[in-house]
Amino acid sequence: KAGVTQTPRYLIKTRGQQVTLSCSPISGHRSVSWYQQTPGQGLQFLFEYFSETQRNKGNFPGRFSGRQFSNSRSEMNVSTLELGDSALYLCASSLGSGSGMETQYFGPGTRLLVL
Amino acid sequence: EDKVVQSPLSLVVHEGDTVTLNCSYEVTNFRSLLWYKQEKKAPTFLFMLTSSGIEKKSGRLSSILDKKELFSILNITATQTGDSAVYLCAVEGGSNAGNNRKLIWGLGTSLAVNP
């Protein structure tokens, strides 16, 4: 099975711009979670989508949003970029059955640099 | 407030040494604890622990959970330079209903294995 894929891998933007990141989960996985990773903060949970609905949300401002499509692919959008948004954005997929913890499998990440 | 604390934050050892990494947690409605290894990019799954006292083993790596004392350890024996990475611990908690399910991450332990 192909793993989780994320595009683009690297991105450079300037303050005030917006960005859209894409994640394709492992085939058959219906849950997609997004994380932000910075050196000082570790992995911070952004949100989780399951069956095109946001199921969980972390403590990030409204500039961070996401959606999931019927094929389980997910996009994350950040509007009005700030310098502090520079980070590695990781997407993780899991089966999403909700019956207990499933292992999350991570994509390679998108490294975003905001200048 | 839910939290996951890993120690030490960083560690430098020589090849052949044995290391023990710690993860303690305070998470409402504990469901499972996971260990990940992160090298340059995305974390890769190591272990999932749900029951106390049952050791999970994979080659030179092993892990065990103590749900009474709320901690887990990750052991690496006969370390090699390829073990150099950040080791992340995450705990799933919250109820399965609604938007209460969550995965809380520690900041990680950075391990450097010198030849």
Side-chain angles (χ1 to χ4, degrees), chain B residues 36-56:
Chain B
Y36 284 82
K37 176 183 181 182
Q38 185 177 27
E39 296 174 88
K40 290 184 180 173
K41 291 168 187 168
T44 52
F45 173 77
L46 292 174
F47 299 111
M48 181 173 79
L49 303 158
T50 55
S51 302
S52 267
I54 299 174
E55 185 184 49
K56 294 262 180 121

Side-chain angles (χ1 to χ4, degrees), chain A residues 9-10 35 37 40-43 45 48 54-56 88 90 98-104 106-108 111, chain B residues 31-32 34 36 38 40-45 48 50 86 88 92 96 98-103 105-107:
Chain A
R9 297 292 306 279
Y10 302 93
Y35 296 88
Q37 186 177 35
Q41 298 292 322
L43 271 170
F45 173 70
E48 180 203 3
Q54 189 180 86
R55 186 159 72 171
N56 273 302
L88 178 67
L90 290 164
S99 61
M101 183 61 193
E102 303 118 1
T103 303
Q104 290 191 328
F106 285 87
R111 187 163 293 284
Chain B
R31 297 172 67 84
S32 65
L34 303 101
Y36 284 82
Q38 185 177 27
K40 290 184 180 173
K41 291 168 187 168
T44 52
F45 173 77
M48 181 173 79
T50 55
V86 174
L88 294 162
E92 194 201 15
N96 209 29
N99 286 341
N100 292 325
R101 199 173 135 257
K102 55 192 172 185
L103 193 63
W105 292 83
L107 289 179

Side-chain angles (χ1 to χ4, degrees), chain A residues 27-105:
Chain A
S27 176
H29 284 191
R30 295 168 65 194
S31 169
V32 174
S33 296
W34 288 91
Y35 296 88
Q36 181 195 67
Q37 186 177 35
T38 54
Q41 298 292 322
L43 271 170
Q44 301 282 312
F45 173 70
L46 281 154
F47 27 66
E48 180 203 3
Y49 284 87
F50 176 77
S51 290
E52 301 177 66
T53 302
Q54 189 180 86
R55 186 159 72 171
N56 273 302
K57 188 177 188 305
N59 296 322
F60 276 78
R63 298 186 297 109
F64 292 81
S65 63
R67 58 178 176 167
Q68 187 179 34
F69 303 95
S70 58
N71 61 358
S72 294
R73 190 177 71 85
S74 176
E75 286 183 348
M76 190 193 98
N77 187 75
V78 187
S79 61
T80 321
L81 283 166
E82 300 176 0
L83 295 179
D85 296 333
S86 296
L88 178 67
Y89 289 88
L90 290 164
C91 157
S93 81
S94 63
L95 286 168
S97 66
S99 61
M101 183 61 193
E102 303 118 1
T103 303
Q104 290 191 328
Y105 295 89

